[in-house]
């Protein structure tokens, strides 16, 4: 029999691939039998509706059918059946495809009790110090074992603490050579790999701020991906983007929409000279990185997390989980997500335990790889979202699991999305014969705004499930428990406990008015503790929504407490109130997804504005493969959806919208984007076909034109304002200087300056709002202390403070004839800031102003900088106040830094707010009294400032 030539083999392979694609489509939707339209160039996504999990199943079948090992990248890169056929034709033979093997690698342990003591970097205040501690203690110890993709077990790349430090220092030197300034942002758009960690820490060592970004998954998602990322790049003011070679040419498209982006580099280009590294003096309050949460492109929310926040969260977790040096962490979680970045990697870095790492694609393509890694490397800690546990239940059969030993897995954390009763009950039951302890399942709750963890269940305790009365809960928001006889009925609603707050953190539930609710009453979850963020980067509106009184932060999550445990019921913005009942979209979505003809996980329930102006309406949006011409089948499915909604919620949806596959919008991690679905519905865009890649690129390029024109307009406007400002300031300033030099009395000179400052504010469109001036309505001399943010601070204070104020000025201003004449005629006191030997002499000068009956105005920071933040206070003014019994009045300035940044003389439009707090009385004349006075005054200013504490 003649052998087939290469073209015949390719044709045969393509036919088999098409056969498997058609079989999968029929299985995904048994009612859909029309697969004649499936051809080699059909889009797996937009045409055939095969999502990521469907692709993983298809690839697994092709590997079995052809006895080959396909690379993990195929799950994201293959766009058509033709692409799959091409990959199969060039694939390597199966040599134990994807098998990690059943042999064991026993972890090393410490040999002596002395080595066990002090095994954590308890004194470290930054991640850089954590790494340095481990390098000093055990530089050659394994930190990460990365399981690369490939036939069989693939490559295993090891990274020790010492190697990580060397690579991070080289990257840091490269960043500094590119001009990265302290506090500058650097985007990380990299897949899972060892380059990620060296780049991340290199940014920090250079003094920069990492901004994790998820890399594009498929070319068909190019437009949506880049659109979403440019919003983050612009908001974070990213100057350098680190990405991989395939993305680099495409990433250039974002330059027009991210004006601060200067460099796009690959990890290979980060090979600087460590000897040239200028060490950044990092502090615990410095921003460690920006974690962007899910949100619309136009209003990205970058959670500001400091080193202190992260270490506080890790140390609190350690107290609960009782981690020791014998533990091994196994993770496939993506590194742009806080659970993977903080929980898995930073946790392993801080605790000094090995991290066995694999790509998320490795898990998605074959979920059993996760369990095999735990088996082989004796993993003890591993976390995943709820869907991962359910995916294992659905995809891992007895044959694949045969021979595994999961007895080492002591904590299987389930979080990052709602925890289902099914997952915590059935997952341990299915794998108990493999040694998995049912008590290993640990439901947890966290969010980026609290670094990561907020509540943890108790290790060693079986998951607690609360069964409550559905009707009572939907009507009164009261979680009334049911007895055992009622638990199986349709009226039952079940929630999994996420445990109790982690140490040093608090959680409470409040009503719409902010009052704490009773136990078992649903409310909005608020939290506080040392892990809590200081706000969202460059998003004051969302920061104001987040922050509440007394240090509490609003999570936007709903839930209740019972017996000290926390139960989460949903997101406040997702809950739909209808006829006095609360409708929880997720419950309806899960139930509708089980209907025949509906694609599971592709249902969105939301409230939308009626297009006819009839108020809000309840909409169920569901993907189906039913043909548009099958009117009878579609009507029947709509009826089933409506009936199911009535059974669950007591009300029918106003509209059931059936759409083709790939229409319901999701995030990169597969979470529903209900708000985006609502916007698409209201804009009547649900039937818009998927655009080809070339058109997406063209649209993206054209869409950059308008922002570019907007930037030109803003720059021209800013320049015009600056010209106007200085055209006024020049002549008015000169006339004011002459007036001060010529006017006969000091009181008249000060009043003149005050009027001129107010006139200048009006002419430049600067509104100065002032609160608390009544605290200065006294003849008693006081020390007035204000934060220092800009050259404009003195101008603003001159406009609002009483005329009888003497300003403390640095001695350098006395050396200049022009400034000396002007300030001396106003009664300013010149002092030397840096000569400790003159302290008593300078204090005497300052006290002289008080003796004359003047208020003494001081900027206790002594200087200012461009970046926001309150600097340490010098003691001089407080020593003077304590020794002379003078009350100190805290004054907070906001807005001057934005109008004119430090080291810049370019003014910008903007308003200013001045807040005068009540006077703080000194408790005595001693040094300790002056220190206490300083601390109280500084706290009063900081509480009203809304900037970081840099002390």
């Amino acid at each position: 029999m003649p052998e087939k030539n290469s073209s015949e083999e390719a044709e045969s392979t393509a036919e088999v691939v098409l056969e498997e694609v058609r079989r999968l489509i029929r299985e995904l939707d048994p009612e859909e039998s029309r697969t004649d339209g499936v051809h080699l160039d059909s889009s797996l996504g937009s045409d055939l509706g095969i999502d990521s999990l469907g692709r993983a199943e298809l690839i697994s079948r092709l590997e079995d059918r052809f006895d080959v090992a396909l690379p993990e990248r195929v799950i994201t890169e293959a766009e058509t059946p033709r692409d799959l056929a091409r990959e199969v034709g060039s694939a390597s033979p199966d040599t134990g495809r994807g098998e990690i093997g059943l042999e064991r690698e026993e972890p090393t342990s410490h040999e002596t009790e002395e080595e066990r003591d002090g095994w954590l970097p308890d004194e470290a205040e930054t991640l850089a110090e954590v790494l340095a501690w481990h390098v000093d203690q055990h530089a050659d110890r394994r930190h990460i074992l990365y399981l690369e993709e490939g036939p069989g077990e693939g490559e295993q790349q090891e990274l020790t603490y010492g190697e990580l430090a060397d690579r991070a220092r080289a990257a840091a030197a490269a960043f500094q050579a590119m001009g990265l300034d302290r506090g500058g942002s650097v985007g990380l758009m990299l897949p899972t790999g060892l380059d990620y960690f060296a780049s991340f820490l290199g940014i920090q060592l250079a003094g920069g701020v990492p901004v994790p970004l998820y890399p594009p998954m498929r070319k068909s998602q190019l437009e949506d991906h880049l659109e979403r990322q440019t919003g983050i790049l612009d908001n974070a003011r990213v100057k350098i983007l680190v990405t991989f070679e395939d993305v680099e040419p495409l990433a250039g498209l974002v330059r027009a929409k991210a004006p601060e982006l200067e460099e796009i580099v690959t990890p290979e280009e980060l090979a600087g000279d460590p000897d040239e590294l200028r060490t950044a003096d990092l502090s615990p309050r410095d921003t460690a990185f920006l974690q962007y949460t899910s949100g619309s492109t136009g209003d990205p929310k970058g959670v500001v997390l400091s080193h202190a926040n992260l270490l506080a969260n890790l140390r609190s977790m350690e107290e609960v989980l009782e981690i020791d040096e014998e533990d091994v962490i196994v993770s496939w979680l993506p590194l742009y997500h806080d659970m993977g970045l903080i929980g898995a990697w930073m946790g392993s870095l801080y605790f000094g335990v090995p991290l066995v790492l694999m790509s998320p694609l490795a898990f998605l393509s074959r979920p059993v790889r996760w369990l095999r890694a735990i088996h082989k490397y004796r993993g003890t800690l591993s976390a995943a979202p709820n869907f991962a546990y359910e995916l294992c239940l659905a995809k891992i059969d007895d044959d694949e699991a045969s021979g595994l030993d999961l007895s080492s897995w002591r904590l299987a954390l389930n979080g990052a999305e709602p925890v289902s009763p099914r997952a915590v009950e059935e997952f341990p039951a299915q794998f108990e014969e493999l040694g998995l302890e049912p008590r290993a399942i640990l439901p947890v709750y966290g969010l980026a705004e609290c670094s990561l963890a907020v509540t943890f269940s108790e290790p060693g305790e079986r998951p607690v499930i609360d069964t409550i009365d559905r009707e009572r809960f939907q009507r009164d928001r009261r979680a009334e428990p049911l007895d055992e006889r009622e638990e199986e009925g349709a009226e039952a609603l079940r929630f999994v406990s996420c445990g109790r707050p982690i140490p040093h953190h608090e959680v409470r539930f409040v009503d719409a008015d902010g009052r704490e609710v009773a136990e078992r009453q649903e409310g909005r979850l608020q939290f506080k503790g040392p892990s809590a963020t200081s706000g969202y980067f460059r998003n004051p509106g969302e920061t104001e929504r987040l922050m509440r009184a007394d240090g509490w932060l609003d999570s936007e999550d709903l839930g209740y407490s019972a017996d000290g445990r926390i139960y989460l019921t949903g997101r406040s913005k997702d809950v739909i109130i209808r006829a006095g009942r609360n409708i929880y979209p997720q419950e309806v979505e899960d139930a509708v997804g089980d209907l025949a003809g509906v694609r599971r996980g592709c249902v969105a329930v939301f409230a939308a504005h009626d297009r006819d102006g009839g108020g809000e309406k309840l909409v169920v949006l569901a993907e189906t493969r039913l043909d548009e011409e099958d009117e009878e089948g579609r009507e029947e499915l709509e009826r089933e959806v409506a009936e199911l909604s009535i059974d669950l919620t007591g009300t029918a949806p106003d509209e059931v919208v059936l759409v083709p596959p790939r229409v319901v919008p999701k995030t990169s991690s597969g979470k529903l984007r209900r708000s985006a679905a609502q916007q698409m519905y209201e804009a009547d865009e649900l039937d818009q076909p998927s655009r080809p890649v070339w058109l997406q690129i063209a649209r993206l390029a054209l869409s950059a034109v308008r922002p570019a024109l907007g930037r030109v307009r803003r720059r021209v406007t800013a320049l015009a304002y600056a010209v106007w400002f200085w055209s006024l300031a020049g002549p008015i300033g000169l006339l004011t200087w002459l007036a001060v030099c010529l006017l006969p009395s000091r009181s008249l000179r000060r009043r003149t300056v005050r009027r001129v400052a107010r006139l200048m504010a009006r002419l430049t469109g600067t509104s100065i709002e002032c609160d608390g001036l009544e605290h200065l309505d006294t003849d008693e001399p006081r020390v007035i202390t204000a934060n220092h943010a800009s050259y404009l601070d003195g101008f603003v204070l001159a406009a609002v403070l009483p005329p009888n104020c003497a300003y403390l000025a640095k001695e350098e201003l006395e050396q200049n004839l022009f400034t000396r004449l002007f300030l001396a005629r106003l009664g300013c006191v010149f002092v030397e800031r840096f000569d400790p030997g003159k302290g008593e002499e300078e204090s005497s000068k300052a006290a002289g102003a008080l003796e004359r009956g003047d208020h003494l105005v001081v900027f206790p920071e002594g200087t200012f900088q461009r970046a926001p933040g309150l600097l340490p206070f010098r003691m001089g003014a407080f020593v003077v106040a304590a020794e002379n019994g003078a009350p100190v009045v805290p004054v907070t300035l906001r807005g001057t830094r934005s109008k004119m940044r430090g080291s810049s003389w370019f003014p910008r439009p903007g308003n200013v707010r001045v807040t005068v707090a009540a006077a703080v009385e000194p408790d005595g004349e001693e040094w300790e009294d002056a220190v206490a006075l300083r601390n109280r005054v500084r706290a009063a200013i900081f509480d009203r400032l809304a900037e970081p504490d840099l002390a």
Side-chain angles (χ1 to χ4, degrees), residues 323-400:
I323 299 172
D324 64 30
E325 67 274 24
E326 304 296 333
D327 279 310
V328 176
I329 298 176
V330 177
S331 178
W332 54 265
L333 296 168
L335 296 173
Y336 54 77
H337 190 278
D338 50 10
M339 199 176 194
L341 182 64
I342 303 174
W345 174 51
M346 293 184 191
S348 70
L349 176 65
Y350 179 78
F351 303 127
V353 300
L355 170 62
V356 178
L357 185 68
M358 64 178 69
S359 162
L361 298 180
F363 167 74
L364 288 176
S365 59
R366 281 187 176 270
V368 74
R369 288 173 172 161
W370 180 27
L371 305 190
R372 284 180 174 149
I374 292 172
H375 161 93
K376 176 172 182 177
Y377 298 102
R378 310 309 297 142
T380 61
L381 302 172
S382 194
N386 190 80
F387 91 88
Y389 293 95
E390 297 199 349
L391 187 63
C392 288
L393 290 173
K395 296 295 183 181
I396 300 177
D397 58 29
D398 292 341
D399 289 340
E400 281 192 308

Side-chain angles (χ1 to χ4, degrees), residues 874-925:
R874 300 173 185 274
M875 285 297 300
F878 305 100
V879 170
V880 170
E883 290 178 348
N884 292 272
V888 180
V889 179
V891 175
T892 305
L893 298 173
R894 296 180 63 178
T896 56
R897 195 190 307 273
S898 298
K899 279 193 69 68
M900 187 181 291
R901 288 277 181 179
S903 73
S904 170
W905 291 94
F906 192 93
R908 291 174 171 81
N911 299 322
V912 176
R913 186 174 190 85
V914 181
T915 305
V916 182
V920 180
E921 299 282 349
D923 293 331
E925 301 179 2

